Amino acid sequence: MNPLPAGDYLKYMPKFTREGDITVEENLAAFYSYADNLNIENEDVWMRVFVQSLDGKVRKWFRGLTPGSIAGIEALLSP
């Protein structure tokens, strides 16, 4: 696995809980923008940082998915 970004990258990371007015699409757009600013290039880093952007029941649901059931970060945008 490739190393995670250096520094305090979690401090300003948008968190998604599925509560409030933020939609899944809006959260993904915010995450992509945030991750682009971190210059993440490796798929394994994208996915490990992405799961850190989830919180509460959403994070529990995501971590409960079968390993390998999401092929990559692009699959998150697929219907």
Side-chain angles (χ1 to χ4, degrees):
M1 284 200 277
N2 293 291
L4 291 171
D8 193 14
Y9 71 94
L10 294 174
K11 186 174 183 178
Y12 299 106
M13 179 184 293
K15 292 285 188 171
F16 185 63
T17 63
R18 192 71 168 146
E19 298 173 4
D21 296 335
I22 306 284
T23 66
V24 170
E25 293 79 14
E26 290 168 334
N27 180 70
L28 282 173
F31 176 76
Y32 269 87
S33 178
Y34 178 79
D36 281 344
N37 287 334
L38 293 176
N39 296 316
I40 296 174
E41 297 179 5
N42 302 96
E43 187 74 26
D44 69 307
V45 177
W46 270 96
M47 294 305 290
R48 289 186 293 144
V49 170
F50 176 73
V51 76
Q52 293 178 43
S53 76
L54 305 176
D55 205 13
K57 292 178 183 178
V58 175
R59 185 179 179 129
K60 184 177 181 179
W61 166 82
F62 187 85
R63 294 188 64 90
L65 293 173
T66 303
S69 63
I70 298 178
I73 197 74
E74 295 85 18
L76 297 172
L77 294 175
S78 301

